[in-house]
Amino acid sequence: MFERVLLKNVDVPDGHLLSTYEAGGGYRALAKALTEYTPDEIIDLVKRSNLRGRGGAGFPTGMKWSFVPKRADKPKYLCCNADEGEPGTFKDRIVMERDPHQLIEGIAISAYAIGAAVAYVYIRGEYVLAIRRLEQAIAEAKAKGYLGARILGSDFNFIVHVHCGAGAYICGEETAMLDSLEGKRAQPRLKPPFPAVAGLYASPTVINNVETLVCVPHIVARGADWFRSIGPEKSPGPKLYCVSGQVRKPGLYELPMGIPLRELVEDHAGGPPPGRKIKAVIPGGVSAPVIPERGLDVGMDFDTLAAAGTMLGSAGVIVVDDATCMVRVATRIIEFFHHESCGKCTPCREGLNWVVKVLRRIEAGEGAAGDMEQLDMLCKGIFGNTFCALGDGAAMGLRASLAHFREEFVAHIEERRCPFH
Amino acid sequence: MTMREKIEQAAERYPDQRSAIMPALLIAQSEHGHLPGPVLEEVADILGVERIWVYELATFYTLFHTEPVGMFHLQLCDNVSCMLRRSEDLLKHLEEVLAIRKGVTTGDGLFTLSTVECLGACEMAPVMQVGDDYHGNLDIERIDALLARLRAMVPDAAAAARAAAEPSGN
């Protein structure tokens, strides 16, 4: 049976307290890192583990860290991306609410590796309990010498601050998050320069997702070979999968990277409600193109899903059953992207507004001849032409819906009503 | 601690005062309930930053309210995972029992009803945030029980609301 590592403490009573975390071996990896490894050796260890970022893009974490200049005349920063705005995704919230010290230990080791003295956890403002627990955990860790000056007797001085977001999905995009942290409207920045060279306050900055950072103490404690022994060679490690929608057991599951999507949905999450069949699954949050039921025999890892025309993204798996209208689902997803567009670039700002109007018309049974071609044209105009991935995510998702469920859109137009109502 | 002291303490976390605008606005909103112009200007003055910078943020981020909201802000998630578990039925029910449309505050000032994008709690969909708290696995019965609990927290206002709901002339 697969051993849960990242979620080990989440169901433990008082799992958010330092005493619980220490009783389970917490902060020993930090002590090991500070006494047995140089910063470069930690980076090398994470590189050898082949940990890929769990925020969505899957960029190799050790390589990202190695881009930070060794010598810089400015302070270096670590930013933890805890904005988690991708619909269907809730993994980071549960970790922060129920095991915040795991995150703090991961942040401290990662900051040691890149040479940062200050980290900011950018956490969405809605997560009030997670914010409270994280602030409490930081205070506990500071009082015990896991944060602050000369940590555990070493020369490492380091502190973590919590920075609350205020309700903008675009802050999940790392450069928009930096703008937001600097007190500006969150809009993505032109790259290069990349944050590793010029990020927060134009200083070298590493931005990692919560789940990425909580993998780090376990890699230090158990070694790179242990991490690489789990899941596929090119995307190894334990993985948190969020399952929601029309399944019997929605929830957060820790399983090996690469587990078949069908096994995750049907065995672990219990399959569809009684009397219903699965029609489709969105595998990685609403940015990830939808997969029809016939495509569920696919491994849940970065490369396999990319080869299947979709993506792992945030691993926010949303299950849709056969009583649901896919035009409604597609419309709601595009309404989300339209609402959350930061407005910086025209294809996203204007294109999504146009798409929403056409989709709402079709859904209401008022579709016109040529609407399908217009949607195809709009997807083409948005995809690849936007400043950041928000527009791409919207267009990719809609393209997949149009490709796999085109007959439902056409039926709405031809029957001049929703066939599901 | 005064609002000024709280904001000044929050600002110590940053090398640049501009970074403290968002934390300061969250503090100011918790003090005042919403963020009218004079409060935004006070925040700018405390931090010593341009007023336009404060206005920019207060109007960009959805958690900031420049208009008053009710004593209880009911924020129902209607994104995909909640929608798939019938959040739209809950919205209709809330609109009926509160006798308001979404985006509106009840006449007694008790409830503001909103729909919001994903609350990041899809495992307990459908979900609604009220103040600091999440309420999940909602159905109509749980919504009704929640409204009753909220009303019971302000008995005078609840009585006033009932009186206001009675037809005039009776």
Side-chain angles (χ1 to χ4, degrees), chain A residues 212-237:
Chain A
T212 311
L213 291 164
V214 298
C215 287
V216 172
H218 303 289
I219 292 169
V220 171
R222 296 173 181 233
D225 290 344
W226 163 79
F227 195 83
R228 269 210 328 273
S229 73
I230 300 166
E233 185 186 343
K234 290 184 178 173
S235 319

Side-chain angles (χ1 to χ4, degrees), chain A residues 87-88 90 93 120 124 126-127 161 163-164 166-167 180-186 201 244-247 332 336, chain B residues 13-15 18-19 22 56-57 59-63 78-79 81 84-85 117-121 123 129 134:
Chain A
F90 47 86
R93 187 196 97 245
Y120 293 98
R124 60 182 302 187
E126 292 92 334
Y127 282 0
H161 298 299
H163 182 95
C164 296
S180 183
L181 245 170
E182 291 180 4
K184 301 165 189 165
R185 287 183 166 211
Y201 308 123
S244 66
Q246 288 153 337
V247 282
R332 185 63 192 86
F336 166 74
Chain B
R13 301 197 296 259
Y14 309 96
R18 189 168 182 175
S19 285
M22 269 172 60
E56 279 177 0
L57 297 203
T59 53
F60 182 82
Y61 294 95
T62 57
L63 295 192
D78 69 346
N79 211 301
S81 297
L84 291 172
R85 296 179 88 92
E117 300 299 345
C118 186
L119 286 171
E123 85 281 18
Q129 186 172 16
Y134 277 24

Side-chain angles (χ1 to χ4, degrees), chain A residues 116-171:
Chain A
V118 177
Y120 293 98
V121 180
Y122 189 105
I123 182 170
R124 60 182 302 187
E126 292 92 334
Y127 282 0
V128 177
L129 180 60
I131 292 164
R132 201 181 300 146
R133 292 260 170 95
L134 204 53
E135 285 178 335
Q136 183 187 357
I138 289 168
E140 280 187 314
K142 202 173 169 186
K144 201 71 185 283
Y146 297 127
L147 295 174
R150 299 189 59 79
I151 294 171
L152 299 173
S154 71
D155 293 332
F156 180 46
N157 307 310
F158 173 67
I159 190 65
V160 182
H161 298 299
V162 173
H163 182 95
C164 296
Y169 169 73
I170 192 63
C171 293

